[in-house]
C-alpha cells in the first residue's frame, strides 16, 4: 500500500500540495475550489493531520468517485491494510481512547456490510412516509419560531441564525430522536462546538454521557421515538447494535440533522434576499419551492466537501493515476458549480431543477453514503422559507452583504450571523 502522505501529483512530481484548510479556501471555498477545478482537475492537497489527498473537483469525476466501489470510507477496507487512518487522525487531535470510536465508527466512516447493517436499522425513521407524517409538527414548530421573531428583535434587528435557522432543525431532530425539549439548547451548543478541535473532547464526553443516560431511561420508559425503536431492534437481535454503536448513531444523527440544515436555511434565506428577482418569482409561483430548495443546495450548500475516500486498488481518475491506499477527497461544492454540467453555474435560477432532469446536484452525496436525512432536510427548508417569507414579505438584510460573518470551518460555508429587518407582517 502506498502511504497517502507520500503521494505525488501526476506528471508533476515536484509540485507542492496546497493546504486544504488554507485561510483563503475557507473564506471563499466556492471561488477557491472553482479555480482549482479549472486549473487542475485532480490536485494534490495536504489535510489537517499532515497527510496528502487527491482533490477531485469536476462534476463527472466527483460522481464517479462517490459511486465507485473501489473507493471506500474506511482504510481498513483496503486489501492488506489493518490500520484505521481516521482513528489515528483523531488520536493525533488528542482524543482519548474511549472517545475515538464515537467518531471513527460513525456510520459515515464505515463500508458495507457493516455500514449497510447500521443504515438499515435507522433508515425507517427517515422514510418518505415518516417524513410526510412529520410535516404538520414541523409546520407547527416553524410557525412557533416565526411568531416569536418580532420579540427577539433588538433595535429592529433580529439574528435569523440564532433565533430561527438553528432552532428549527434542532427542535425537529430532537423530537424525532427523543431528546426532551428542555435539552435542545444544550444540544445546539454541543452541535456547534463539534467543529471546533479545541472543544471536541469536551463535546463528545458530555454528549455521549448524556445519551447513555437517555438510552437507559428509554429502556425503562419506552416512548414513540427513534431511541426506543433502536433499543427494541437491539433487544430483538442482541448482535445487531452495541451500546457504543447506538450512542454513536444518535450523536451523529443529532449533529448532522442540525448543523447542515441550519446552514441550508441560513444560506437559502441570504440567497433569496440578495436575488430579489428570484424571490419575487418564488412568491408569484409557490409551486417552484421544492425546485428552489434544490437549486439553493446546488449553489450555496453549507457543505463544500465531506469525508475522504481511499482507493482499494490502482485507479485512474480524469487521466490521473491514483495508487492503492491513497486518499481522495471529492469536493461536492466545486462539482455543483462545474460549468460543464450546470450552465452559468454562479447564477441563481430557481427553475433550474424544475425541468425533466430534476435535481442533479451532489450536495447530499451519491452512492451508499447518500444523506439519510435528505427528504427531512428538504421539507424543513421548504417550510422554513415558505413560512418566513410568507409572514415577512418585506424582510431585508440589516447590514451590507459584505459585512456578514461566516464560520471559519474548512469544508463548509455557513453563516455565523444573519441580521435582518423583519418589516411589516403580511
Amino acid at each position: 500500500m502506498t502511504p497517502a502522505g507520500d503521494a505525488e501529483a501526476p506528471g508533476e512530481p515536484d509540485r507542492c500540495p496546497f493546504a486544504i484548510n488554507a485561510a483563503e479556501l475557507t473564506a471563499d471555498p466556492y471561488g477557491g475550489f472553482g479555480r482549482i477545478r479549472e486549473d487542475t482537475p485532480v490536485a494534490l492537497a495536504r489535510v489537517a493531520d499532515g497527510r496528502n489527498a487527491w482533490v477531485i473537483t469536476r462534476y463527472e469525476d466527483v460522481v464517479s468517485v462517490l459511486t465507485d466501489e473501489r473507493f471506500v470510507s474506511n482504510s481498513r477496507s483496503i486489501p492488506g491494510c489493518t490500520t484505521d487512518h481516521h482513528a489515528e487522525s483523531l488520536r493525533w487531535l488528542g482524543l482519548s481512547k474511549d472517545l475515538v470510536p464515537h467518531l471513527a465508527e460513525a456510520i459515515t466512516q464505515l463500508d458495507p456490510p457493516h455500514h449497510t447493517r447500521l443504515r438499515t436499522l435507522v433508515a425507517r425513521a427517515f422514510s418518505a412516509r415518516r417524513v410526510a407524517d412529520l410535516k404538520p409538527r414541523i409546520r407547527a414548530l416553524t410557525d412557533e419560531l416565526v411568531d416569536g421573531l418580532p420579540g427577539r428583535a433588538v433595535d429592529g434587528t433580529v439574528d435569523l441564525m440564532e433565533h430561527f435557522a438553528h432552532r428549527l432543525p434542532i427542535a425537529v431532530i430532537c423530537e424525532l430522536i427523543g431528546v426532551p425539549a428542555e435539552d435542545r439548547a444544550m444540544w445546539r451548543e454541543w452541535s456547534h462546538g463539534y467543529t471546533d478541535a479545541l472543544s471536541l473532547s469536551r463535546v463528545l464526553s458530555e454528549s455521549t454521557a448524556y445519551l447513555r443516560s437517555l438510552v437507559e431511561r428509554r429502556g425503562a420508559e419506552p416512548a414513540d421515538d427513534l431511541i426506543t425503536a433502536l433499543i427494541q431492534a437491539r433487544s430483538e437481535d442482541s448482535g445487531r447494535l452495541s451500546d457504543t454503536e447506538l450512542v454513536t448513531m444518535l450523536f451523529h444523527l443529532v449533529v448532522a440533522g442540525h448543523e447542515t440544515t441550519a446552514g441550508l436555511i441560513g444560506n437559502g434565506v441570504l440567497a433569496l434576499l440578495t436575488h430579489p428577482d428570484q424571490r419575487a418569482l418564488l412568491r408569484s409561483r409557490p409551486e417552484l419551492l421544492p425546485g428552489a430548495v434544490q437549486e439553493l443546495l446546488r449553489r450555496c450548500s453549507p457543505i463544500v466537501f465531506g469525508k475522504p475516500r481511499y482507493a482499494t486498488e490502482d485507479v485512474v481518475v480524469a487521466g490521473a493515476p491514483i495508487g492503492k491506499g491513497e486518499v481522495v477527497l471529492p469536493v461536492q461544492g466545486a462539482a455543483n458549480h462545474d460549468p460543464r454540467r450546470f450552465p452559468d453555474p454562479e447564477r441563481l435560477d430557481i427553475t433550474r431543477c424544475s425541468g425533466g432532469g430534476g435535481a442533479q446536484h451532489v450536495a447530499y452525496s451519491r452512492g451508499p453514503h447518500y444523506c439519510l436525512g435528505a427528504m427531512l432536510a428538504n421539507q424543513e427548508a421548504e417550510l422554513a422559507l415558505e413560512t418566513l417569507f410568507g409572514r415577512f414579505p418585506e424582510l431585508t438584510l440589516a447590514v451590507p452583504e459584505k459585512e456578514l460573518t461566516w464560520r471559519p470551518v474548512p469544508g463548509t460555508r455557513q453563516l455565523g450571523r444573519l441580521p435582518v429587518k423583519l418589516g411589516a407582517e403580511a
Side-chain angles (χ1 to χ4, degrees), residues 105-121:
E105 296 176 18
I107 189 171
T108 54
Q109 301 296 331
L110 302 175
D111 298 302
H114 194 25
H115 169 269
T116 307
R117 176 176 67 90
L118 294 180
R119 189 178 176 99
T120 300
L121 281 172

Side-chain angles (χ1 to χ4, degrees), residues 82 142-143 155 161 267 277 311 313 318 320 322 324-325 339 386 416:
T82 58
T142 306
D143 287 337
D155 296 330
M161 294 307 298
N267 291 2
D277 60 325
E313 60 183 68
I322 307 295
K324 176 184 175 181
E386 175 187 35

Side-chain angles (χ1 to χ4, degrees), residues 93-295:
L93 285 173
L95 283 190
S96 61
K97 184 178 180 180
D98 61 314
L99 292 177
V100 166
H102 292 300
L103 296 183
E105 296 176 18
I107 189 171
T108 54
Q109 301 296 331
L110 302 175
D111 298 302
H114 194 25
H115 169 269
T116 307
R117 176 176 67 90
L118 294 180
R119 189 178 176 99
T120 300
L121 281 172
V122 76
R124 192 177 305 172
F126 297 94
S127 67
R129 179 176 179 178
R130 177 61 171 157
V131 170
D133 289 343
L134 286 171
K135 188 171 184 177
R137 181 56 184 154
I138 298 175
R139 186 180 294 280
L141 289 168
T142 306
D143 287 337
E144 179 183 333
L145 289 171
V146 171
D147 287 343
L149 287 177
R152 302 286 188 179
V154 177
D155 296 330
T157 297
V158 61
D159 179 7
L160 280 185
M161 294 307 298
E162 168 63 23
H163 299 298
F164 183 62
H166 278 294
R167 291 175 185 259
L168 177 60
I170 201 68
V172 172
I173 197 65
C174 281
E175 285 205 6
L176 177 64
I177 287 175
V179 173
E182 60 267 23
D183 295 335
R184 291 174 190 167
M186 187 165 55
W187 273 99
R188 281 203 311 272
E189 190 276 326
W190 284 335
S191 182
H192 203 68
Y194 172 66
T195 57
D196 181 0
L198 295 177
S199 61
L200 183 56
S201 289
R202 176 187 60 81
V203 166
L204 277 175
S205 180
E206 293 175 357
S207 60
T208 54
Y210 171 93
L211 286 170
R212 290 185 189 280
S213 175
L214 187 56
V215 167
E216 184 177 349
R217 196 187 326 164
R218 282 292 181 271
E221 302 172 3
D224 182 19
D225 55 35
L226 182 58
I227 292 178
T228 302
L230 291 176
I231 291 172
Q232 291 173 345
R234 180 176 60 179
S235 299
E236 293 168 5
D237 184 349
S238 60
R240 298 192 74 190
L241 202 63
S242 69
D243 288 342
T244 298
E245 286 175 333
L246 177 54
V247 169
T248 298
M249 175 75 76
L250 294 170
F251 172 81
H252 285 275
L253 287 176
V254 176
V255 172
H258 169 225
E259 282 292 312
T260 54
T261 307
L264 170 60
I265 293 171
N267 291 2
V269 170
L270 175 61
L272 291 172
L273 288 177
T274 53
H275 293 80
D277 60 325
Q278 297 299 291
R279 179 179 171 183
L281 177 58
L282 185 57
R283 186 175 184 181
S284 66
R285 296 182 58 190
E287 72 276 8
L288 293 175
L289 183 57
V293 169
Q294 299 311 304
E295 170 69 349

